[in-house]
Amino acid sequence: MNISTSEKLFEEAKKFIPGGVNSPVRAFNSVGGNPLFIKEGQGSKFIDVDGNEYIDYIGSWGPHLFGHNPTFIIEALNKAIKKGTSFGAPTEIEIKMAELITKMVPSVEKVRMVNSGTEATMSAIRAARGFTNREKFIKFEGCYHGHADHFLIKAGSGALTLGVPTSPGVTKGNAADTLMAQYNNIDSVKELFAKNKNEIAAVIIEPIAGNMGVIKSEDPFIKELRTICDEENTVLIFDEVMTGFRVAKGGAQEILGVTPDLTTFGKIIGGGLPVVAFGGKAEIMNKISPVGPIYPAGTLSGNPLAMSAGFAALNHINSNPDIYNLLEEKSSYLAKGFSENLQKVGKNFTMNRVGSMMCMFFTEEKVTDFATATKSNTEFYGKYFHKMLSRGVYLAPAQFEALFV
Ligand code: KE4
């Protein structure tokens, strides 16, 4: 496989962009080798700058539920762009998009657009803090909610329940209000509530985790989390940036049967463009400026060009509800194929899959949380990634991610 142009471009990119990429995970650091520069994507495939074609199983990390360049999204964009790209003033498509989201996800009574998952989760935490007048919040080890300071925290040493920064530039002050619990471990949550009585504004969770590989929250755990938040008057936030409209029309909350107070959406709702949202109970969302004092804002939030792609994507889902059966059929077929091939070479692995998001961990153990996920053989994953790449199959260039159909 000739990848010389990618290599040349990567050297060029590193002159002007830190690490040559605009988001770290694209740099292939955890699987080794150099990233491929992609020239174009069509349907389920994309082509790199050296003309090599790949089946693309990351789909831009989740947005491309319908593959690259689906006609109905391109048509929507072609129509919208003729009228302009952004006005910094309200447009009708923003109403249609908000209404459609509230229709597809019943827990969302009001919704605000932003431009990245980081902004959505950051704003949701601010809304919860403003609504409860409390400062601390609980996140789960291994869940990723974007790069706002208060999320770049890892569990402190055993004694400490307070988190510690994972990145320079994140202050101790920020870390002090972030409490860390263990996924699928309700006792770790109860312990934090006992130690921080009436101080916890929110619990934020990926209801189906996709950032430590794929891990589904277990039934008693996620339902007990809802009960505890009710008892403690704490806002329960589902970060569905990845799972929203991915695992079901109503997202993870539909298949888990648990209703959060706030939800964040992203990826699919932009149809490949930067459209992200947070929303939920009107009594919380009505505290958001300009109605209330809690202040999220954004120059390009609800941008009509991006919204036209997002609206086309959601509209397509809403009018084709059987796509999830089709996705389930394709995804189970694919997972079976991955598994059979790995069994053939006698490799021990665990395949976690929820609908069209999946991940194989090279460990024999069941993977139910960050601790069991990190027992997987990431070195072998790197080898597997490159072997598959050389056969034209583009998996996630990092073990702790999700593959998407
Ligand atoms: P962004 O700020 O990257 O738009 O969204 C942050 C985010 C929030 N919540 C969840 C559940 C997410 O998965 C993400 C972003 N996901 C990563 C993929 N693991 C984006 C890829 C990247 O960082 O380049």
Side-chain angles (χ1 to χ4, degrees):
M1 180 174 280
N2 161 27
I3 56 167
S4 53
T5 316
S6 273
E7 284 167 345
K8 258 202 305 284
L9 290 179
F10 190 44
E11 291 316 308
E12 196 64 13
K14 283 190 280 192
K15 287 184 203 154
F16 308 105
I17 307 169
V21 290
N22 278 309
S23 194
V25 74
R26 301 178 194 167
F28 277 28
N29 286 355
S30 66
V31 290
N34 292 338
L36 299 176
F37 280 64
I38 302 304
K39 185 170 63 177
E40 66 175 281
Q42 296 300 343
S44 62
K45 300 198 177 64
F46 55 30
I47 302 169
D48 71 15
V49 290
D50 289 291
N52 305 303
E53 185 181 83
Y54 305 87
I55 305 175
D56 170 20
Y57 283 117
I58 64 161
S60 182
W61 303 96
H64 297 318
L65 188 65
F66 306 103
H68 293 279
N69 265 9
T71 321
F72 60 88
I73 289 186
I74 299 302
E75 281 166 359
L77 283 168
N78 284 338
K79 241 167 81 199
I81 202 156
K82 293 190 176 69
K83 297 190 206 120
T85 54
S86 178
F87 311 113
T91 58
E92 189 183 352
I93 185 132
E94 293 167 75
I95 310 170
K96 288 164 69 175
M97 181 73 159
E99 186 181 9
L100 185 53
I101 291 175
T102 60
K103 214 167 89 183
M104 294 172 79
V105 190
S107 70
V108 177
E109 295 171 335
K110 285 213 168 161
V111 60
R112 169 61 65 86
M113 293 293 152
V114 290
N115 302 283
S116 74
T118 295
E119 272 186 87
T121 51
M122 181 179 75
S123 307
I125 291 289
R126 186 178 311 134
R129 284 171 160 163
F131 179 70
T132 59
N133 203 15
R134 298 174 181 177
E135 298 191 354
K136 291 178 179 169
F137 76 95
I138 293 175
K139 79 174 285 290
F140 292 83
E141 203 168 13
C143 285
Y144 176 70
H145 304 291
H147 63 93
D149 281 1
H150 49 255
F151 292 127
L152 298 182
I153 310 291
K154 66 175 185 284
S157 61
L160 277 176
T161 50
L162 298 190
V164 294
T166 56
S167 160
V170 174
T171 64
K172 284 197 292 296
N174 251 304
D177 292 327
T178 305
L179 305 175
M180 300 295 291
Q182 300 311 315
Y183 205 76
N184 282 324
N185 174 342
I186 202 65
D187 292 339
S188 71
V189 176
K190 286 178 180 165
E191 196 184 309
L192 291 173
F193 272 102
K195 286 190 180 147
N196 300 274
K197 201 75 193 136
N198 299 326
E199 292 185 80
I200 298 175
V203 173
I204 185 167
I205 188 167
E206 290 181 63
I208 296 167
N211 286 291
M212 48 177 153
V214 176
I215 301 180
K216 188 177 182 183
S217 57
E218 286 156 5
D219 186 292
F221 165 75
I222 195 75
K223 291 204 166 109
E224 287 177 357
L225 198 59
R226 174 68 277 175
T227 309
I228 292 174
C229 286
D230 287 337
E231 289 162 355
E232 300 284 346
N233 296 313
T234 293
V235 176
L236 177 58
I237 303 170
F238 273 11
D239 179 355
E240 296 220 41
V241 163
M242 191 184 282
T243 56
F245 311 103
R246 163 64 58 185
V247 296
K249 183 172 149 184
Q253 54 196 268
E254 178 185 302
I255 52 177
L256 297 172
V258 173
T259 302
D261 301 309
L262 293 178
T263 305
T264 53
F265 301 100
K267 299 185 193 270
I268 289 171
I269 75 164
L273 271 75
V275 176
V276 181
F278 69 101
K281 280 185 172 162
E283 66 176 320
I284 302 174
M285 294 305 286
N286 284 333
K287 300 259 186 253
I288 301 283
S289 179
V291 199
I294 301 169
Y295 197 77
T299 306
L300 295 173
S301 299
N303 159 277
L305 179 65
M307 298 286 274
S308 68
F311 184 72
L314 291 197
N315 217 13
H316 190 83
I317 294 173
N318 199 36
S319 28
N320 298 281
D322 67 332
I323 60 159
Y324 292 102
N325 305 330
L326 204 58
L327 269 174
E328 177 55 30
E329 220 177 279
K330 292 180 180 200
S331 306
S332 57
Y333 177 75
L334 178 70
K336 197 162 138 281
F338 275 133
S339 304
E340 280 164 6
N341 288 344
L342 286 167
Q343 269 142 11
K344 257 186 235 152
V345 294
K347 198 61 207 165
N348 300 321
F349 65 94
T350 297
M351 168 73 76
N352 282 5
R353 176 176 75 85
V354 181
S356 60
M357 54 191 270
M358 66 183 87
C359 161
M360 68 283 285
F361 297 94
F362 290 105
T363 171
E364 280 163 317
E365 286 193 44
K366 223 161 125 337
V367 177
T368 57
D369 60 11
F370 185 65
T372 44
T374 45
K375 284 196 179 134
S376 51
N377 181 340
T378 49
E379 201 208 322
F380 186 85
Y381 181 84
K383 288 200 194 100
Y384 180 68
F385 170 83
H386 281 288
K387 282 286 176 203
M388 293 294 265
L389 196 65
S390 66
R391 287 167 172 71
V393 179
Y394 196 100
L395 305 178
Q399 162 72 75
F400 302 118
E401 296 291 348
L403 303 185
F404 302 99
V405 175

